[in-house]
Amino acid sequence: PPPRGGGPGGGGGDGEKMGARHVLIKHKGSRRPQSHKDESGRAIKARNLPDAIAKAESFRTEIVGSKDPPAKFKEVAKRESDCSSAHREGDLGPFAKGAMQPAFEKAVAALKVGEISQPVETDSGVHIIMRTL
């Protein structure tokens, strides 16, 4: 998700860092319904929230059912994510508390390193998240 406030690593908090990779699936209700993969937004604007959730669930099933979920997560993020972090296999790097959208941050905080979330909804779209730090 795009950062809130000062950007990744900014945004205050107590200095405790978290890290994550994610796969973002945007839909017509996303705050910016375009992406590096769909600059016109044609496919994204044709996708509704239930479709985005179903797509996220399908990607999660593919990832957790693989022999190497962390490697599969990177592959799916690079291939499928609507976030520009797809070029980094979904890696958002370390970020401080308060730097990300609250629902995203809460989901990351609830995961142990290496765990993969269920679909998480934010203003940016629907995410699958893997905690890295």
Side-chain angles (χ1 to χ4, degrees):
R4 287 183 15 178
D14 57 10
E16 181 183 333
K17 300 276 187 178
M18 294 186 279
R21 291 183 186 274
H22 76 140
V23 179
L24 171 63
I25 299 95
K26 291 187 174 188
H27 54 84
K28 63 184 174 184
S30 296
R31 71 173 164 194
R32 186 180 163 271
Q34 297 93 20
S35 80
H36 67 101
K37 291 176 15 179
D38 182 14
E39 291 184 12
S40 71
R42 174 178 274 146
I44 291 168
K45 291 172 186 168
R47 186 181 306 134
N48 62 28
L49 176 60
D51 290 342
I53 292 169
K55 198 169 185 179
E57 288 171 341
S58 173
F59 294 151
R60 185 181 190 281
T61 298
E62 177 184 351
I63 292 163
V64 299
S66 73
K67 291 181 182 176
D68 186 350
K72 180 59 80 173
F73 194 101
K74 292 176 186 180
E75 176 190 313
V76 171
K78 188 172 188 173
R79 182 184 76 221
E80 301 290 348
S81 185
D82 287 320
C83 181
S84 61
S85 69
H87 301 296
R88 297 182 305 279
E89 300 173 318
D91 191 6
L92 296 171
F95 52 88
K97 187 174 181 182
M100 299 292 179
Q101 293 180 45
F104 186 92
E105 194 170 287
K106 182 178 177 183
V108 174
L111 296 170
K112 294 180 179 134
V113 171
E115 282 186 330
I116 298 168
S117 73
Q118 295 294 328
V120 175
E121 295 175 43
T122 71
D123 291 343
S124 297
V126 180
H127 312 255
I128 302 170
I129 304 163
M130 180 175 70
R131 186 164 182 172
T132 59
L133 177 70

